[in-house]
PDB file of all heavy atoms in Angstrom:
ATOM      1  N   GLY B 348     -12.730  50.767 -50.812  1.00  0.00           N
ATOM      2  CA  GLY B 348     -14.034  50.143 -50.589  1.00  0.00           C
ATOM      3  C   GLY B 348     -14.732  50.671 -49.379  1.00  0.00           C
ATOM      4  O   GLY B 348     -15.884  50.346 -49.190  1.00  0.00           O
ATOM      5  N   VAL B 349     -14.030  51.494 -48.517  1.00  0.00           N
ATOM      6  CA  VAL B 349     -14.701  51.944 -47.336  1.00  0.00           C
ATOM      7  C   VAL B 349     -15.872  52.904 -47.672  1.00  0.00           C
ATOM      8  O   VAL B 349     -16.980  52.743 -47.142  1.00  0.00           O
ATOM      9  CB  VAL B 349     -13.690  52.669 -46.449  1.00  0.00           C
ATOM     10  CG1 VAL B 349     -14.332  53.495 -45.432  1.00  0.00           C
ATOM     11  CG2 VAL B 349     -12.744  51.719 -45.817  1.00  0.00           C
ATOM     12  N   LEU B 350     -15.663  53.813 -48.624  1.00  0.00           N
ATOM     13  CA  LEU B 350     -16.758  54.732 -48.952  1.00  0.00           C
ATOM     14  C   LEU B 350     -17.975  54.000 -49.460  1.00  0.00           C
ATOM     15  O   LEU B 350     -19.062  54.299 -49.087  1.00  0.00           O
ATOM     16  CB  LEU B 350     -16.187  55.748 -49.983  1.00  0.00           C
ATOM     17  CG  LEU B 350     -17.128  56.937 -50.296  1.00  0.00           C
ATOM     18  CD1 LEU B 350     -17.536  57.677 -49.010  1.00  0.00           C
ATOM     19  CD2 LEU B 350     -16.504  57.929 -51.203  1.00  0.00           C
ATOM     20  N   ALA B 351     -17.715  53.011 -50.275  1.00  0.00           N
ATOM     21  CA  ALA B 351     -18.805  52.269 -50.820  1.00  0.00           C
ATOM     22  C   ALA B 351     -19.614  51.556 -49.695  1.00  0.00           C
ATOM     23  O   ALA B 351     -20.906  51.589 -49.711  1.00  0.00           O
ATOM     24  CB  ALA B 351     -18.362  51.216 -51.812  1.00  0.00           C
ATOM     25  N   ALA B 352     -18.893  51.066 -48.714  1.00  0.00           N
ATOM     26  CA  ALA B 352     -19.552  50.268 -47.608  1.00  0.00           C
ATOM     27  C   ALA B 352     -20.376  51.295 -46.762  1.00  0.00           C
ATOM     28  O   ALA B 352     -21.535  51.075 -46.374  1.00  0.00           O
ATOM     29  CB  ALA B 352     -18.512  49.655 -46.715  1.00  0.00           C
ATOM     30  N   VAL B 353     -19.786  52.530 -46.550  1.00  0.00           N
ATOM     31  CA  VAL B 353     -20.480  53.568 -45.722  1.00  0.00           C
ATOM     32  C   VAL B 353     -21.679  54.005 -46.432  1.00  0.00           C
ATOM     33  O   VAL B 353     -22.798  54.075 -45.919  1.00  0.00           O
ATOM     34  CB  VAL B 353     -19.522  54.750 -45.465  1.00  0.00           C
ATOM     35  CG1 VAL B 353     -20.344  55.966 -45.015  1.00  0.00           C
ATOM     36  CG2 VAL B 353     -18.493  54.356 -44.399  1.00  0.00           C
ATOM     37  N   ALA B 354     -21.571  54.244 -47.746  1.00  0.00           N
ATOM     38  CA  ALA B 354     -22.740  54.728 -48.635  1.00  0.00           C
ATOM     39  C   ALA B 354     -23.800  53.651 -48.538  1.00  0.00           C
ATOM     40  O   ALA B 354     -24.967  54.042 -48.495  1.00  0.00           O
ATOM     41  CB  ALA B 354     -22.251  55.019 -50.043  1.00  0.00           C
ATOM     42  N   GLY B 355     -23.496  52.445 -48.526  1.00  0.00           N
ATOM     43  CA  GLY B 355     -24.484  51.414 -48.423  1.00  0.00           C
ATOM     44  C   GLY B 355     -25.307  51.478 -47.167  1.00  0.00           C
ATOM     45  O   GLY B 355     -26.527  51.312 -47.157  1.00  0.00           O
ATOM     46  N   ARG B 356     -24.609  51.762 -45.997  1.00  0.00           N
ATOM     47  CA  ARG B 356     -25.331  51.931 -44.720  1.00  0.00           C
ATOM     48  C   ARG B 356     -26.308  53.073 -44.742  1.00  0.00           C
ATOM     49  O   ARG B 356     -27.422  52.925 -44.200  1.00  0.00           O
ATOM     50  CB  ARG B 356     -24.314  52.158 -43.582  1.00  0.00           C
ATOM     51  CG  ARG B 356     -23.198  51.161 -43.503  1.00  0.00           C
ATOM     52  CD  ARG B 356     -23.593  49.920 -42.732  1.00  0.00           C
ATOM     53  NE  ARG B 356     -22.619  48.904 -42.778  1.00  0.00           N
ATOM     54  CZ  ARG B 356     -21.512  48.801 -41.942  1.00  0.00           C
ATOM     55  NH1 ARG B 356     -21.408  49.733 -41.002  1.00  0.00           N
ATOM     56  NH2 ARG B 356     -20.643  47.838 -42.124  1.00  0.00           N
ATOM     57  N   PHE B 357     -25.922  54.172 -45.464  1.00  0.00           N
ATOM     58  CA  PHE B 357     -26.835  55.243 -45.542  1.00  0.00           C
ATOM     59  C   PHE B 357     -28.075  54.843 -46.399  1.00  0.00           C
ATOM     60  O   PHE B 357     -29.225  55.167 -46.006  1.00  0.00           O
ATOM     61  CB  PHE B 357     -26.112  56.473 -46.274  1.00  0.00           C
ATOM     62  CG  PHE B 357     -25.356  57.342 -45.352  1.00  0.00           C
ATOM     63  CD1 PHE B 357     -24.135  56.891 -44.901  1.00  0.00           C
ATOM     64  CD2 PHE B 357     -25.838  58.582 -44.933  1.00  0.00           C
ATOM     65  CE1 PHE B 357     -23.427  57.731 -43.987  1.00  0.00           C
ATOM     66  CE2 PHE B 357     -25.121  59.306 -44.057  1.00  0.00           C
ATOM     67  CZ  PHE B 357     -23.921  58.922 -43.621  1.00  0.00           C
ATOM     68  N   ALA B 358     -27.808  54.077 -47.405  1.00  0.00           N
ATOM     69  CA  ALA B 358     -28.940  53.647 -48.259  1.00  0.00           C
ATOM     70  C   ALA B 358     -29.872  52.763 -47.464  1.00  0.00           C
ATOM     71  O   ALA B 358     -31.156  52.965 -47.456  1.00  0.00           O
ATOM     72  CB  ALA B 358     -28.445  52.938 -49.466  1.00  0.00           C
ATOM     73  N   GLU B 359     -29.325  51.841 -46.649  1.00  0.00           N
ATOM     74  CA  GLU B 359     -30.138  51.025 -45.765  1.00  0.00           C
ATOM     75  C   GLU B 359     -30.987  51.766 -44.800  1.00  0.00           C
ATOM     76  O   GLU B 359     -32.101  51.457 -44.534  1.00  0.00           O
ATOM     77  CB  GLU B 359     -29.207  50.022 -44.973  1.00  0.00           C
ATOM     78  CG  GLU B 359     -28.638  48.884 -45.688  1.00  0.00           C
ATOM     79  CD  GLU B 359     -27.505  48.284 -44.923  1.00  0.00           C
ATOM     80  OE1 GLU B 359     -27.448  48.348 -43.662  1.00  0.00           O
ATOM     81  OE2 GLU B 359     -26.558  47.758 -45.687  1.00  0.00           O
ATOM     82  N   ALA B 360     -30.373  52.950 -44.267  1.00  0.00           N
ATOM     83  CA  ALA B 360     -31.090  53.654 -43.180  1.00  0.00           C
ATOM     84  C   ALA B 360     -31.994  54.667 -43.918  1.00  0.00           C
ATOM     85  O   ALA B 360     -32.876  55.303 -43.250  1.00  0.00           O
ATOM     86  CB  ALA B 360     -30.121  54.514 -42.384  1.00  0.00           C
TER      87      ALA B 360
END
Side-chain angles (χ1 to χ4, degrees):
Chain B
V349 165
L350 187 55
V353 166
R356 306 278 172 85
F357 276 74
E359 281 162 34

